[in-house]
Amino acid sequence: MPNTTSLTQIQKLYVAFYGRPADPAGQVYWAQQLDTAQGSLQRIIDAFANSVEYAMRFEQLDTETLVSNLYRQAFGRDAEEAGLSYWVGQLQSGAVSIGQLALAILEGAQNQDLAVVEQRLSMAQRFTDAAEQQGLGYGDLQIPAAVALLQAVNQDTPVDTIDLTELWQHFAAFSDPLPYDPDWSPELSPAGFELWFLTQSALSRQGLDTLYSVETLEQVSDNLALNGTNLRDTFALIRPLITDTGTSEEIYARVLDSVIDILNSPPLVESELLSAVILQFQDNDDDPAWTDDEHFDTVGLVEISGGAAIHEVGGDFWL
């Protein structure tokens, strides 16, 4: 086994660079590599920056967004203007690599930022240890949910008392990636969205600082259940409407915001959710035939009656 210092350093790199806890096998492997390199992180940083995960999650981000995301991963806040400008310049000039920058931001933490970093590192190691003890790994499908866990941690989070049992029940249930549209990456699949949502809900119930209140998340679940649909189907319907910009967790948040808007937009009622999504989709499809009832039928998701009334709300068309 690698030494404790190396394991800690690798966990720090996962949190700084990927914004998630290390998976057990990854932490051990890279800590062993760090021992072999006598503590030199350069080769490992380069490997992280050239990984499939980096390409899938961050390669599409512009430099300013990338730096801002590193701040949010480390400190849970946006970068201050001076810091953002400085690091964007350093990155664009080639003075630092993206991996060096991620670690520099994390290790430069002071005061409240340092307290957040220490809490997130502690939670990350608890998560990794729990995964190892239960013999559970996690992969692309679970990454946004693991990121959500760390995003919920701030300087006041009672890390040692958080119950990880419910989280791991969700992770175990999603251990085998389910079929997904080939146009999406695994972590942007309907199943990945459902796991992310369930993780947000579990954290909210424990009083953690999530993107949404537990009342909002429970209301979404209840309303979808009333409609006879579920998170995976809803994601599959709404996902084409969401622009592919930002990280996967940001895209998931926009998807959920869209669900909430659809459920709350007057004069729409809950039972019209799927119909409304189809109309939104057709509106964005630039298809002049989208108001034709026969065209609705070809969508194949719900039946649209010939007498359905269509009206406009905020620029969108609804049943």
Side-chain angles (χ1 to χ4, degrees):
M1 283 291 292
N3 67 59
T4 302
T5 300
S6 294
L7 288 167
T8 299
Q9 191 70 5
I10 294 301
Q11 186 69 264
K12 186 181 293 186
L13 189 57
Y14 269 90
V15 172
F17 196 79
Y18 292 137
R20 67 172 177 90
D23 52 283
Q27 185 184 30
V28 170
Y29 172 80
W30 288 116
Q32 289 172 336
Q33 297 300 306
L34 187 58
D35 283 350
T36 301
Q38 299 181 329
S40 173
L41 275 169
Q42 189 57 55
R43 190 178 72 82
I44 299 171
I45 286 174
D46 291 343
F48 273 46
N50 289 287
S51 68
V52 172
E53 180 176 347
Y54 175 80
M56 185 168 60
R57 296 180 58 202
F58 307 118
E59 198 168 59
Q60 80 279 14
L61 303 182
D62 60 61
T63 306
E64 185 171 314
T65 304
L66 189 59
V67 174
S68 295
N69 186 64
L70 291 175
Y71 269 78
R72 287 194 295 272
Q73 288 180 169
F75 311 138
R77 66 170 176 84
D78 292 329
E80 68 281 359
E81 187 174 344
L84 179 61
S85 177
Y86 174 76
W87 286 120
V88 166
Q90 290 289 100
L91 202 56
Q92 290 178 336
S93 70
V96 297
S97 69
I98 183 62
Q100 291 169 331
L101 172 58
L103 207 54
I105 289 174
L106 192 76
E107 293 185 334
Q110 300 179 31
N111 305 320
Q112 181 175 318
D113 287 341
L114 180 58
V116 174
V117 167
E118 290 175 345
Q119 291 281 80
R120 291 188 172 188
L121 288 173
S122 177
M123 173 57 78
Q125 194 56 54
R126 277 198 66 203
F127 184 88
T128 304
D129 290 343
E132 183 178 22
Q133 290 163 7
Q134 298 188 44
L136 296 171
Y138 70 96
D140 293 340
L141 189 71
Q142 290 90 356
I143 284 174
V147 170
L149 170 64
L150 289 192
Q151 286 180 333
V153 174
N154 59 41
Q155 71 272 18
D156 300 318
T157 303
V159 170
D160 293 336
T161 62
I162 292 174
D163 183 8
L164 293 175
T165 303
E166 183 180 5
L167 290 181
W168 273 113
Q169 287 175 346
H170 295 322
F171 273 70
F174 284 85
S175 58
D176 296 320
L178 298 173
Y180 59 90
D181 189 306
D183 291 336
W184 303 332
S185 68
E187 65 170 31
L188 287 177
S189 69
F193 174 69
E194 184 173 19
L195 177 55
W196 176 85
F197 182 96
L198 292 172
T199 300
Q200 292 274 347
S201 300
L203 294 172
S204 292
R205 282 192 290 273
Q206 294 194 47
L208 269 70
D209 187 20
T210 59
L211 291 171
Y212 304 91
S213 69
V214 65
E215 291 81 13
T216 297
L217 294 168
E218 289 177 348
Q219 183 181 30
V220 169
S221 294
D222 291 344
N223 285 343
L224 291 176
L226 285 172
N227 287 307
T229 187
N230 56 49
L231 291 163
R232 296 183 197 180
D233 292 342
T234 302
F235 178 86
L237 290 170
I238 294 178
R239 175 69 182 88
L241 308 176
I242 305 299
T243 306
D244 270 327
T245 57
T247 61
S248 58
E249 49 273 14
E250 289 168 340
I251 294 173
Y252 279 169
R254 291 202 298 275
V255 169
L256 186 53
D257 284 343
S258 296
V259 174
I260 293 170
D261 286 345
I262 288 169
L263 291 173
N264 293 333
S265 294
L268 189 69
V269 297
E270 288 87 344
S271 62
E272 296 171 324
L273 171 65
L274 293 182
S275 301
V277 172
I278 290 172
L279 287 169
Q280 261 197 340
F281 176 74
Q282 298 302 333
D283 185 27
N284 288 346
D285 202 27
D286 296 325
D287 185 340
W290 77 275
T291 55
D292 189 325
D293 289 335
E294 183 179 350
H295 188 64
F296 286 136
D297 292 338
T298 65
V299 178
L301 296 170
V302 296
E303 271 192 1
I304 307 295
S305 68
I310 299 174
H311 48 266
E312 185 176 350
V313 179
D316 291 322
F317 294 88
W318 307 90
L319 281 180

